[in-house]
Amino acid sequence: MDTLVRIRHRLADSSELVVLISFLLVFLFFSIRAENFLSLVSLTNILTIASIKGIFIVGVAMLMISGEFDLSVGSILAVATFVFALSLEAGMAPLLAFVFAMAVSAGLGGINGLIVIRTGIPSFIATLGTMLAFRGIARAIGGADFARFTGEMPALFTGLNGEFTFINRLAEPAGSARMAIVWFVLFAVLAAVVMSNTRFGSWVYATGGNRAAAIAQGVKTKNVIAVNYIVTGVLAGFAGIVQFASRPAVDPLRGEGWELTAVAACVIGGIWLSGGYGTIVGAMLGMLLLQMVEQGLILVGVDVQLFQATIGLILILAVISNTYLSRQ
Amino acid sequence: MQRRMYLFTTLILIALLALAACAPAADSGQQEMSQTEESGGDSAGSEGGLSFIAVQHAECAWDSFWCTVQSGITTAASDLGVDVTILAPDEFDLDKTASLIEQAVAANPDGIMLTVTDPILFREPIMKAIDAGIPVIAYNAGSGPIADKIPYYTYLGQDEYQGGYLGGLRLAAGGGTQGVCINQQVGHTGLDKRCAGFSDALAESGIPAEVLAIGDDPAEAATIIGDYFTANPDTDIFLTLGPNGANPFYVFVENEGLTADDITHGTFDLGDEINANITSGMTMFGIDQQPFLQGYGGVSTLSMIARYGILPALPVSATGPGFVDAASLASEPDAEAAVSVIAVQHAECAWDSFWCVVQNGINTAADLMGVDVTILAPDEFDLDKTASLIEQAVAANPDGIMLTVTDPILFKEPIMKAIDAGIPVIAYNAGSGPIADNIPYYTYLGQDEYQGGYLGGLRLSAGGGTQGVCINQQVGHTGLDKRCAGFSDALAESGIPAEVLAIGDDPAEAATIIGDYYTANPDTDIFLTLGPNGANPFYVFVENEGLTADDITHGTFDLGKEINANIESGLTMFGIDQQPFLQGFGGIQALNLLVRHGIVPALPVTPTGPGFVDRGNLSVVQELAGEYR
């Protein structure tokens, strides 16, 4: 009896619980209801497609736990991809172009951080502004046109988002597993370890949970926030380049609207909008859940219009459940 | 308490998901029902549906080739819910066939499809039908309205040049040293065109090609081929133009002990020997003119005209080349098969009204043909999302995918996934065809830009003229440049010089540029504009100069409020429409024919436009705007 109670308490403590249950239920539902859902191509689709957004959702999740938003991730992603593509076009070595694009992403993330910590403007508003501004930069440097890479694929592309042929060939039709999955898992695990096992992780939770108390205890909350913005910027840029490595074209609207998907994934994953609570694993499951619903609905033969409605319902349910749990 | 809450939450989640999965099915069912009523209502416009008459110079009863054509006709009639009567003489009798056409006119059908076996003999009866206002199209025999000099809408038959060209591309794909086109009847226009296409395709890979004339005597032909090979032992790519070339070729191959490792061979037509060699791998393909499609397409084209006011885009609508290879010989199409199609497009009706017409085409065709279709599109313009939708569509393993190739580089990877999974893929509305896009999907349904300019130029210069100008708002844009090239070529045929005038997208400035050009070139009397951005400044210029339809002729691409008003007033001769309804309808039809009847689209680009809108059909088009046009 004693152990049962302990288990129950532990469950109430884990913020991923709701998303985990939802994830399993949705998985079960589509496994039964949707033909081909358990096929290699469907499952690898979910993983690979979710991974691109998943990469920067790791950053967005850390930011949200520290109590801040970043609505500019989609725009940073577009700028970074354009910088990468245009540098390649200009004849820059792939690795150099990559480093350059990463530096630009870090810079844009840094700008977000500076604005938020120096001006005290709510991050929602600050990054709404930079979202528009960075989008404008993406459109301007791209000349309102596509940037494409048509030459021989450099080895860097394979490293960034090559196919796992040995997995994909296991079944017919072939799967679509790519390196993106590895990056997603790698960053998520890394972030999860940092968040739970390091001092920096505790600072992030403290910054989002009770900032005044954190400052009183000597946590440099401004530094924490700035670091998180830079990490998010870098991850957003990285996600864009990973994507470019498999589909080497970028349009000026790339990434528009993805910031909201990121917030939705985090909230479904159990992260509080007010900060201080939630985990990286939860956000990860949230993103996978969203992608699973999309693939599942397509397999069931539902028009994608309903995808939005379903996501909306899941989001609201997740918030209701999380709010309920938080009262315990 | 907590546990109850979990249970409650999860139960609600399941219920909602179940609801989500079921609700739209009922929803789309309703949509389909209302569409059935709609199309039923349309055809009921002519009391009990449309009735067409097909007049052909031969028939199934005494010429088995025609059984396939007639099967196409009856299948289309049942797919599209129309009535078709087939008339043919009891034996080969062209005079009788001509009088059957006259009798068909007397029945006043909603459309006539016929074989233009002899354009001179048939001219008078066909003109009778056209004068009576009956839409006329030709199938199987004919050369198109321009070459036949009879103004029927279009001719459905094989494109001989493209047959040779596309065949040549396939044969040369694996490399080669020297090609030869074995022609059993040098001087026959159709056969010569096949060889010309073949040579052009090989030239693109830098492989020289020659024409070898053989006679119709098989034994002699084999010797001639053997002698040629002795003299040109490097020859490794062979095209034959039918059984009369292929059969002696097989004798030659056996004599020389050649195998598929030494040479590549393709041929026109099919037959027992050819089929056996395709199966064995000796022959890469046989080119079929697809008689089934000549019948099916004829009925479909007439329905389009009568029901939706949609005109065939080109004077010749290609039903062939249809490439038959070992895989297609082995597959057995199933006319009764259930067909499920997923359409993935970069925009949708909900947020871009242009797409309502396309989607109406998709749903109307799916409904008529009993095809199950799901349309997928992003919630806002998001090409990457569109690409992932293609990937996710592949997982559903549908019988066919139709999609917009909005960016060939971005979409190549997901489209290749579908093709590698063995799912037939065709493109609609956005794309440039499999060759230009460098993605081996079947065909792209969209406007043929060059032909739009060319056919527009023919119309504009029909009444003569001194000097033409193509007003281009975006010089360097491939599609727009092609329109101007077609225009210039058409005018050149009448000996009228034509220039391209670059204007920007700024209307006021554009009007000034046109005015300045006209001052410098006051003889200019034929104007083509490439859309509202050219036409609207052009109208300002016309008003400034006080010009009228008596002084100049003007045609334009696209329609719009101002353009329509000027077509109405007579200043503008026509607007060219890309016919989005046909892009959706045609996509479903092409996949339906492919899956159920093994019919492959003939050309890399299946033109849905140019669709000419002039004073004659403007009111019809306006009436159908937003739904079918």
Side-chain angles (χ1 to χ4, degrees):
Chain A
M1 200 60 203
D2 205 32
T3 35
L4 271 180
V5 171
R6 220 181 301 138
I7 288 172
R8 210 159 66 191
H9 276 282
R10 196 174 284 172
L11 284 178
D13 279 346
S14 61
S15 59
E16 306 97 336
L17 189 70
V18 174
V19 69
L20 188 64
I21 293 175
S22 314
F23 182 89
L24 293 175
L25 283 173
V26 171
F27 186 85
L28 197 70
F29 171 78
F30 283 125
S31 302
I32 297 165
R33 181 75 164 78
E35 202 188 342
N36 296 318
F37 181 72
L38 292 177
S39 66
L40 179 71
V41 56
S42 150
L43 298 177
T44 49
N45 265 349
I46 294 169
L47 286 172
T48 304
I49 299 171
S51 291
I52 296 289
K53 291 192 182 92
I55 289 171
F56 64 78
I57 282 174
V58 170
V60 173
M62 284 172 68
L63 259 177
M64 281 180 69
I65 294 172
S66 64
E68 305 294 344
F69 284 102
D70 188 352
L71 297 181
S72 70
V73 278
S75 301
I76 294 179
L77 184 147
V79 174
T81 316
F82 265 107
V83 167
F84 183 64
L86 294 172
S87 304
L88 285 178
E89 207 173 278
M92 200 185 277
L95 198 62
L96 208 61
F98 172 72
V99 173
F100 182 36
M102 287 292 91
V104 170
S105 312
L108 296 180
I111 291 173
N112 278 333
L114 271 182
I115 297 174
V116 171
I117 60 178
R118 284 286 160 83
T119 64
I121 301 174
S123 59
F124 188 89
I125 303 300
T127 57
L128 182 66
T130 53
M131 174 182 95
L132 298 171
F134 296 164
R135 175 65 57 194
I137 293 174
R139 296 174 82 148
I141 60 176
D145 197 1
F146 283 71
R148 302 184 178 89
F149 180 78
T150 49
E152 188 73 27
M153 292 270 197
L156 178 72
F157 280 28
T158 321
L160 284 172
N161 205 11
E163 258 196 90
F164 290 118
T165 324
F166 64 98
I167 296 176
N168 293 341
R169 294 256 170 88
L170 288 178
E172 278 289 321
S176 53
R178 286 187 171 272
M179 270 300 285
I181 302 172
V182 172
W183 295 119
F184 176 34
V185 173
L186 188 76
F187 287 125
V189 169
L190 208 65
V193 169
V194 167
M195 292 294 280
S196 57
N197 293 342
T198 67
R199 256 196 336 197
F200 181 78
S202 320
W203 293 345
V204 172
Y205 278 105
T207 305
N210 187 340
R211 198 161 296 180
I215 294 171
Q217 281 181 18
V219 176
K220 293 194 169 104
T221 56
K222 288 188 174 178
N223 288 359
V224 169
I225 291 167
V227 167
N228 279 350
Y229 270 110
I230 293 170
V231 168
T232 306
V234 168
L235 290 177
F238 185 75
I241 292 168
V242 165
Q243 187 175 41
F244 188 83
S246 65
R247 298 178 195 147
V250 53
D251 59 287
L253 297 181
R254 171 66 51 84
E256 211 172 48
W258 294 6
E259 60 284 338
L260 296 181
T261 312
V263 173
C266 290
V267 171
I268 289 172
I271 295 174
W272 290 358
L273 280 173
S274 53
Y277 189 79
T279 63
I280 303 297
V281 174
M284 202 175 157
L285 284 172
M287 186 58 228
L288 286 170
L289 173 62
L290 291 184
Q291 198 53 51
M292 189 163 68
V293 169
E294 183 173 285
Q295 175 69 80
L297 288 179
I298 288 174
L299 292 179
V300 175
V302 165
D303 287 349
V304 272
Q305 279 80 345
L306 224 88
F307 169 70
Q308 277 185 323
T310 316
I311 295 304
L313 289 173
I314 292 178
L315 187 68
I316 291 166
L317 280 173
V319 175
I320 292 174
S321 319
N322 289 330
T323 312
Y324 171 79
L325 276 177
S326 71
R327 286 207 202 100
Q328 298 303 301
Chain B
M1 180 65 188
Q2 251 180 44
R3 212 188 275 162
R4 269 218 325 261
M5 189 62 196
Y6 299 152
L7 203 69
F8 177 60
T9 311
T10 49
L11 274 175
I12 289 190
L13 201 72
I14 295 179
L16 281 169
L17 273 168
L19 205 70
C22 303
D27 202 44
S28 60
Q30 258 173 11
Q31 227 170 37
E32 272 165 30
M33 258 169 60
S34 67
Q35 261 155 16
T36 318
E37 281 164 18
E38 224 171 72
S39 50
D42 280 349
S43 37
S46 44
E47 287 306 306
L50 297 170
S51 73
F52 302 135
I53 298 180
V55 185
Q56 52 195 43
H57 61 245
E59 66 165 331
C60 180
W62 51 272
D63 182 346
S64 65
F65 171 88
W66 287 89
C67 299
T68 317
V69 179
Q70 289 176 217
S71 159
I73 293 177
T74 48
T75 306
S78 109
D79 274 1
L80 304 172
V82 298
D83 219 39
V84 184
T85 313
I86 299 174
L87 303 179
D90 304 323
E91 56 188 341
F92 191 76
D93 181 342
L94 287 186
D95 195 63
K96 175 76 187 283
T97 314
S99 49
L100 286 175
I101 299 173
E102 284 179 334
Q103 290 169 53
V105 175
N108 195 26
D110 298 301
I112 296 179
M113 53 193 277
L114 44 79
T115 54
V116 187
T117 325
D118 186 316
I120 295 169
L121 190 63
F122 285 12
R123 186 185 156 81
E124 188 239 328
I126 296 176
M127 281 314 297
K128 225 167 247 172
I130 294 173
D131 290 343
I134 302 170
V136 175
I137 59 149
Y139 64 113
N140 181 268
S143 308
I146 298 174
D148 285 341
K149 296 194 176 71
I150 309 173
Y152 58 82
Y153 280 112
T154 191
Y155 161 65
L156 288 103
Q158 176 145 278
D159 187 322
E160 305 293 3
Y161 176 87
Q162 288 291 334
Y165 179 77
L166 296 170
L169 287 188
R170 286 180 182 229
L171 291 170
T177 316
Q178 165 81 38
V180 63
C181 181
I182 299 173
N183 189 339
Q184 66 268 31
Q185 216 176 326
V186 171
H188 179 295
T189 321
L191 300 190
D192 288 347
K193 275 188 191 164
R194 294 176 179 181
C195 284
F198 171 75
S199 301
D200 288 353
L202 263 59
E204 284 183 15
S205 308
I207 303 171
E210 291 184 347
V211 176
L212 174 65
I214 56 169
D216 268 331
D217 178 67
E220 201 186 332
T223 315
I224 296 175
I225 301 173
D227 292 348
Y228 178 84
F229 189 67
T230 312
N232 303 274
D234 281 347
T235 312
D236 50 4
I237 300 179
F238 294 82
L239 180 71
T240 51
L241 306 185
N244 286 2
N247 296 352
F249 171 79
Y250 295 134
V251 173
F252 147 75
V253 166
E254 214 179 307
N255 290 346
E256 299 281 337
L258 295 169
T259 69
D261 295 332
D262 310 313
I263 55 166
T264 52
H265 171 239
T267 186
F268 276 78
D269 298 346
L270 297 170
D272 289 343
E273 288 197 55
I274 292 174
N275 294 2
N277 278 287
I278 292 175
T279 309
S280 79
M282 177 69 227
T283 298
M284 194 186 272
F285 57 79
I287 294 175
D288 186 12
Q289 62 171 306
Q290 307 200 115
F292 182 92
L293 187 55
Q294 297 174 353
Y296 193 102
V299 176
S300 170
T301 307
L302 285 177
S303 307
M304 282 289 152
I305 299 170
R307 231 175 229 167
Y308 313 116
I310 288 175
L311 307 181
L314 300 188
V316 175
S317 305
T319 61
F323 286 87
V324 176
D325 55 20
S328 50
L329 269 183
S331 72
E332 294 231 350
D334 174 8
E336 305 301 321
V339 178
S340 73
V341 169
I342 297 183
V344 186
Q345 50 194 42
H346 62 245
E348 65 165 333
C349 180
W351 50 273
D352 183 348
S353 64
F354 170 89
W355 288 89
C356 300
V357 182
V358 179
Q359 288 176 219
N360 192 24
I362 292 176
N363 289 324
T364 305
D367 193 33
L368 284 170
M369 294 164 197
V371 170
D372 182 54
V373 67
T374 310
I375 298 174
L376 303 180
D379 307 316
E380 56 189 334
F381 191 79
D382 183 341
L383 289 183
D384 191 72
K385 176 73 183 278
T386 314
S388 339
L389 287 175
I390 299 172
E391 284 184 330
Q392 296 180 77
V394 174
N397 199 23
D399 300 304
I401 294 180
M402 53 192 278
L403 44 80
T404 54
V405 187
T406 322
D407 185 274
I409 293 173
L410 193 60
F411 285 11
K412 180 167 182 153
E413 182 235 335
I415 297 176
M416 282 312 298
K417 211 155 260 170
I419 294 172
D420 289 342
I423 302 170
V425 175
I426 62 157
Y428 64 112
N429 180 270
S432 307
I435 298 175
D437 284 341
N438 195 22
I439 310 174
Y441 57 82
Y442 277 106
T443 191
Y444 160 64
L445 288 107
Q447 177 145 276
D448 186 324
E449 306 293 1
Y450 176 87
Q451 288 292 335
Y454 178 78
L455 296 169
L458 288 187
R459 285 181 183 227
L460 290 170
S461 61
T466 315
Q467 165 81 38
V469 63
C470 180
I471 299 173
N472 188 340
Q473 65 267 30
Q474 214 176 327
V475 170
H477 180 295
T478 321
L480 299 189
D481 289 348
K482 277 188 190 163
R483 293 175 178 181
C484 284
F487 171 75
S488 300
D489 288 354
L491 264 58
E493 285 184 12
S494 310
I496 303 171
E499 292 184 347
V500 175
L501 174 65
I503 57 168
D505 269 329
D506 180 66
E509 201 186 330
T512 315
I513 296 174
I514 302 172
D516 292 348
Y517 178 85
Y518 189 68
T519 313
N521 303 273
D523 280 349
T524 311
D525 51 1
I526 301 179
F527 293 83
L528 180 72
T529 50
L530 307 185
N533 284 4
N536 295 352
F538 172 80
Y539 295 135
V540 174
F541 147 76
V542 166
E543 214 179 308
N544 290 347
E545 298 282 337
L547 295 169
T548 69
D550 295 334
D551 311 313
I552 54 165
T553 53
H554 170 239
T556 186
F557 276 77
D558 298 344
L559 297 171
K561 215 171 127 198
E562 289 195 51
I563 293 173
N564 294 0
N566 279 288
I567 293 174
E568 187 83 60
S569 77
L571 177 68
T572 298
M573 194 187 270
F574 57 80
I576 293 174
D577 184 13
Q578 61 171 309
Q579 309 199 117
F581 181 86
L582 189 53
Q583 297 174 353
F585 192 100
I588 293 290
Q589 178 166 292
L591 286 172
N592 174 46
L593 285 170
L594 191 64
V595 175
R596 287 197 176 129
H597 305 286
I599 301 292
V600 290
L603 300 185
V605 176
T606 306
T608 62
F612 284 90
V613 176
D614 53 25
R615 230 173 162 175
N617 63 351
L618 180 68
S619 60
V620 179
V621 170
Q622 276 177 328
E623 203 176 297
L624 301 172
E627 200 172 353
Y628 301 120
R629 298 297 296 240

